[in-house]
Amino acid sequence: MALDIRQIPVLKDNFIYLAREPKSGAVAVVDPAVAGPVLETADRLGWKITHILNTHHHGDHVGGNMEIKEATGCTIVGPGHDPDRIPGMDVQVKDGDTYDLGQSRAQVFFVPGHTSGHIAYWFKDSDALFCGDTMFSIGCGRLFEGTPQQMWTSLSRLRALPPQTQIYCAHEYTESNIRFAVSVDPNNAALRRREAEVKSLRAAGKYSVPSTLGEERAANPFLRADAPELAAAIGMAGRSPVEVFAEVRARKDKF
Ligand code: ZN
Ligand code: FE
């Protein structure tokens, strides 16, 4: 069954997601940075939280774990690739595993790069990807614990999902990502379209997330490290995708 997904903005620019599987009534919280707004939103909707799904161990993704677990008795699912850093983890999932939220099945991808244990959850029947801090709209996570090769491999795997996949990432970073992206990929028409779209969304007080994977493939420079025109635009024609990716990521770190 397709999930009913709600977006909760918290802290400066984080998104927490609530996802309800309507047949069973199972409700998952994805990456609860904090507990209060999650419990309030679930209450208001009349939804009973049964699960937490964590993508990685950073505080702005697991900070609400224990309080939500204490309040609801929910099951905490997280990366088996990172067994010691997820507070209260009950179920460890790894690359290639599936996890059933009621009648909705998530496929798990191990996507190291931002952290060494990061995973993503793909709910195929809902066209929903919860990718934490691996992919952002027009960006990707910083390489705190991984190499450019690892992150490029991770992003390449996510990029291969269907184009209609909705990218439920964990931060509203899109405007600043676009300011950087146009500096490395100035002639990309899809990026310029996204720039205009995001400008009007944000001016209207709306979120730029989720986007679709199809849009990201065309406009996100971190998914385009194997595009000859991007390599040429940064003076790296003929270099490998990993080298181009590493250079774009390094420029973003200094931008
Ligand atoms: Zn993070
Ligand atoms: Fe984060």
Side-chain angles (χ1 to χ4, degrees):
M1 283 289 281
L3 297 170
D4 183 352
I5 298 172
R6 308 299 171 95
Q7 194 166 19
I8 308 172
V10 298
L11 306 179
K12 189 161 162 277
D13 49 37
N14 273 81
F15 290 123
I16 302 172
Y17 297 100
L18 277 178
R20 182 172 186 272
E21 193 285 298
K23 263 235 165 87
S24 63
V27 174
V29 187
V30 183
D31 279 355
V34 294
V38 173
L39 295 170
E40 284 161 28
T41 304
D43 253 6
R44 183 165 47 73
L45 293 166
W47 291 7
K48 191 181 167 321
I49 293 167
T50 55
H51 294 77
I52 289 172
L53 305 181
N54 290 128
T55 63
H56 68 295
H57 75 282
H58 283 156
D60 63 319
H61 299 256
V62 303
N65 272 24
M66 295 316 291
E67 196 180 331
I68 293 170
K69 188 175 182 173
E70 275 155 32
T72 64
C74 68
T75 299
I76 300 183
V77 181
H81 307 275
D82 208 338
D84 301 321
R85 297 193 292 182
I86 307 293
M89 181 160 57
D90 299 299
V91 178
Q92 300 185 15
V93 291
K94 287 189 163 174
D95 193 59
D97 286 352
T98 58
Y99 189 81
D100 289 345
L101 177 69
Q103 310 212 10
S104 203
R105 175 160 290 182
Q107 199 166 307
V108 176
F109 289 80
F110 178 41
V111 285
H114 177 65
T115 71
S116 59
H118 202 302
I119 59 173
Y121 300 87
W122 177 43
F123 287 88
K124 180 172 188 270
D125 295 342
S126 302
D127 282 322
L129 178 70
F130 296 101
C131 56
D133 289 353
T134 296
M135 188 192 306
F136 297 125
S137 184
I138 319 297
C140 75
R142 277 181 188 264
L143 305 185
F144 287 120
E145 300 178 351
T147 63
Q149 174 72 71
Q150 281 178 316
M151 190 57 134
W152 173 244
T153 301
S154 295
L155 290 171
S156 298
R157 293 183 66 206
L158 299 182
R159 187 179 67 168
L161 296 175
Q164 72 273 17
T165 305
Q166 302 275 328
I167 306 301
Y168 290 97
C169 61
H171 292 275
E172 175 68 65
Y173 287 160
T174 317
E175 277 184 305
S176 65
N177 285 342
I178 288 172
R179 280 195 291 279
F180 167 74
V182 298
S183 79
V184 292
D185 203 9
N187 301 317
N188 183 336
L191 175 58
R192 293 297 186 176
R193 273 198 303 278
R194 180 75 174 137
E195 181 183 34
E197 177 190 44
V198 169
K199 193 171 276 179
S200 64
L201 282 171
R202 300 301 289 151
K206 294 181 179 154
Y207 310 133
S208 68
V209 173
S211 57
T212 68
L213 185 58
E215 295 176 279
E216 296 301 325
R217 272 188 210 164
N220 186 332
F222 296 99
L223 302 186
R224 285 170 42 76
D226 55 356
E229 60 276 18
L230 175 61
I234 61 167
M236 293 185 75
R239 306 284 285 277
S240 75
V242 173
E243 290 174 297
V244 172
F245 178 83
E247 174 65 17
V248 174
R249 187 58 254 181
R251 289 191 191 190
K252 174 70 164 68
D253 290 341
K254 287 182 243 125
F255 188 71

